[in-house]
Amino acid sequence: MTASWSTIDCDVHVNVPSMQALLPHLDEYWRDSVVDRGMNSLESISYPPNAPLTARPDWRGKGGAPANTLDALRTHALDRWNIDIAICHCLYGVQLLYSEDMAAAFAKAINDWVAKEWLDRDPRLRASIVVPMQNTEFAVAEIERCAADQRFVQVLVLCMGEMPLGRRQYWPVYEAAERHGLPLGIHAGSSYRHPVTSLGWPSWYVEDYAAQSQGFQSQLASLVCEGVFVKYPKLKVVLLESGVTWLPAFLWRLSKFWRGVRLEVPWIDRSPAEIVRDHVRLTIQPFDGPDDPAAVAKLIEHMQSDDMLLFASDFPHWQFDGDAIMPAGIPQKLHGKIRRDNALATYSRLAEQAA
Amino acid sequence: MAKHVIAALREFPAGTRKLVDIKGRQIAVFNIKGEFFALANRCPHQGGSLCEGRLTGLVEAKEPGEYRYSRQGEIIRCPWHGWEFDVRTGKSWCDPSRIRARQFSVSVAPGAALVEGPYVAETFAVSVEDEYVVLDA
């Protein structure tokens, strides 16, 4: 069966329907705390329920709420596009908590909820491990706890956290990820410790969402320059819901300036663009490309790699209409790589399961 | 190519550099701890004057946080964008096979040999008692 995988969706969203859903997965103290403290929800402001981006109109359920059931995921995405494997991401505010202990408790609860309510119920589903990056030791412990379950295929962090991700303080997380064959998935989003732009707080939602690509750029620069890929040469990083088309220009800029100041980072002994092409992958929704297919084809050339793009629907977010997941203009010869091969080369656990 | 006497040795001490003009070509000549090196004075990147750059050492690392520092004073950094060039080879650090500053050979010769020619002495007289820096360009 697995040998026939033809399509791997590297970014679908599963949403905690309410705090009640997590209660069975919290220990007694935290279960009572939810009630005692009146904690209704850990939803962040990243995807306001009524924002058009949050769910396609045809993917909204009763009362216009974004679809968040397994049936909806099956009907609208998995069955509709013959998806063989889909990697689930649960974004639920763990990264926003100031208490390290609470973050660890909720990360565990979310991962267990995902396993029980999603992975156990559809063999096509895989998931990323939500980790409490507020405390490196706890994040590593959560990876160790979940990694035994081969359906967890990635570690999930947000684009904007407390510190740049390349900092050595986080390295035990990358050591654990590399050792278990788990890529580091960096998803759009913020823990809102800092303004979402380096200039300060913007006024509008569109500014927040557009600024994510700046966050991704800074994270790539941090991971490369701090030497994470020198230290952990087998580590892969997947940018999730990052947009794609900003990448070539950013790599030209980063590599150009590296030439003049590489003395500061002597462990970077080759062009940052090469390092990124070897280690970093991006999901194709949103793509942020022009409508003209010829211009898209040109952009793909600028990537200077056929290995970097991973198929993704970003279900239920409204990134495209109809069935147009694959941006028009991506050369046909790359479709197979994007749909399947690149994911298998990125997610070693999927490659083992496909073998 | 011709041999050009560019200075008397005693007037070109270690740790100094000279910009010489050979028929309109600008060439940067360095005396590094008694060894002479010459490079075209035009950075292959965008044309900065290498003669005005800082001489630094070579820093390398096998892993993050390591700074192995060697060959102090043998790497010239272009004053415009900081690209590094090995004064011994003219090769850039960032792309040594494609980006390099043209290199010229420099030697030291006794005045007695020079008066016999075929050397092009510049604006000064050559004395048989002294030694001279000779650029092949």
Side-chain angles (χ1 to χ4, degrees), chain A residues 258-259 269, chain B residues 84-86 89-101:
Chain A
W258 162 80
R259 291 184 167 203
D269 59 2
Chain B
E84 297 159 78
F85 296 88
D86 186 335
T89 63
K91 290 179 180 177
S92 66
W93 191 94
C94 61
D95 197 351
S97 59
R98 289 199 310 152
I99 299 170
R100 57 173 77 192

Side-chain angles (χ1 to χ4, degrees), chain B residues 6-68:
Chain B
I6 58 169
L9 181 60
R10 58 187 158 76
E11 288 165 0
F12 198 160
T16 66
R17 56 185 85 174
K18 277 185 196 299
L19 181 61
V20 295
D21 184 304
I22 305 290
K23 294 178 182 165
R25 281 180 300 166
Q26 305 277 307
I27 296 172
V29 185
F30 301 87
N31 181 345
I32 297 171
K33 298 171 190 164
E35 280 187 273
F36 286 91
F37 303 96
L39 300 175
N41 192 45
R42 187 183 155 73
C43 178
H45 175 215
Q46 296 212 328
S49 167
L50 294 179
C51 197
E52 293 166 38
R54 286 174 57 83
L55 281 166
T56 182
L58 179 67
V59 61
E60 298 168 292
K62 281 211 169 61
E63 62 172 62
E66 186 181 54
Y67 304 86
R68 275 189 294 138

Side-chain angles (χ1 to χ4, degrees), chain A residues 168 171 226-228 230-231 256-270, chain B residues 56-67 77 81-84 93-95 98-99:
Chain A
R168 293 176 199 176
W171 287 11
E226 297 277 4
V228 169
V230 178
K231 188 73 177 177
K256 172 186 159 186
F257 286 104
W258 162 80
R259 291 184 167 203
V261 287
R262 73 101 212 159
L263 290 86
E264 297 179 6
V265 286
W267 42 90
I268 305 306
D269 59 2
R270 59 194 178 121
Chain B
T56 182
L58 179 67
V59 61
E60 298 168 292
K62 281 211 169 61
E63 62 172 62
E66 186 181 54
Y67 304 86
R77 292 186 75 192
H81 302 100
W83 291 24
E84 297 159 78
W93 191 94
C94 61
D95 197 351
R98 289 199 310 152
I99 299 170

Side-chain angles (χ1 to χ4, degrees), chain A residues 19-31:
Chain A
M19 189 62 94
Q20 298 300 314
L22 294 183
L23 292 183
H25 305 287
L26 291 165
D27 71 18
E28 289 171 347
Y29 170 76
W30 287 109
R31 205 179 304 148

Side-chain angles (χ1 to χ4, degrees), chain A residues 252-304:
Chain A
W252 293 330
R253 182 172 170 86
L254 181 64
S255 300
K256 172 186 159 186
F257 286 104
W258 162 80
R259 291 184 167 203
V261 287
R262 73 101 212 159
L263 290 86
E264 297 179 6
V265 286
W267 42 90
I268 305 306
D269 59 2
R270 59 194 178 121
S271 162
E274 279 179 46
I275 296 174
V276 168
R277 282 187 210 110
D278 283 352
H279 289 272
V280 178
R281 305 292 175 254
L282 301 90
T283 53
I284 58 166
Q285 289 297 341
F287 188 77
D288 299 338
D291 292 334
D292 175 10
V296 170
K298 197 76 186 165
L299 277 161
I300 294 291
E301 271 179 45
H302 289 167
M303 304 283 289
Q304 294 182 264

Side-chain angles (χ1 to χ4, degrees), chain A residues 171-238:
Chain A
W171 287 11
V173 173
Y174 309 142
E175 187 278 326
E178 184 192 49
R179 179 161 39 82
H180 287 295
L182 299 163
L184 176 72
I186 306 177
H187 197 284
S190 177
S191 60
Y192 299 103
R193 290 293 189 275
H194 310 293
V196 291
T197 85
S198 59
L199 312 173
W201 289 104
S203 300
W204 317 112
Y205 182 63
V206 63
E207 295 177 84
D208 180 328
Y209 196 68
Q212 296 294 320
S213 61
Q214 298 170 20
F216 280 104
Q217 292 181 11
S218 300
Q219 294 293 23
L220 279 191
S222 173
L223 290 165
V224 168
C225 295
E226 297 277 4
V228 169
F229 301 117
V230 178
K231 188 73 177 177
Y232 305 105
K234 291 185 197 152
L235 183 70
K236 292 278 194 290
V237 165
V238 180

Side-chain angles (χ1 to χ4, degrees), chain A residues 128-149:
Chain A
S128 292
I129 304 169
V130 173
V131 291
M133 288 294 268
Q134 292 91 331
N135 179 309
T136 302
E137 203 179 317
F138 291 174
V140 170
E142 187 60 14
I143 293 171
E144 299 293 351
R145 195 184 72 84
C146 295
D149 184 341

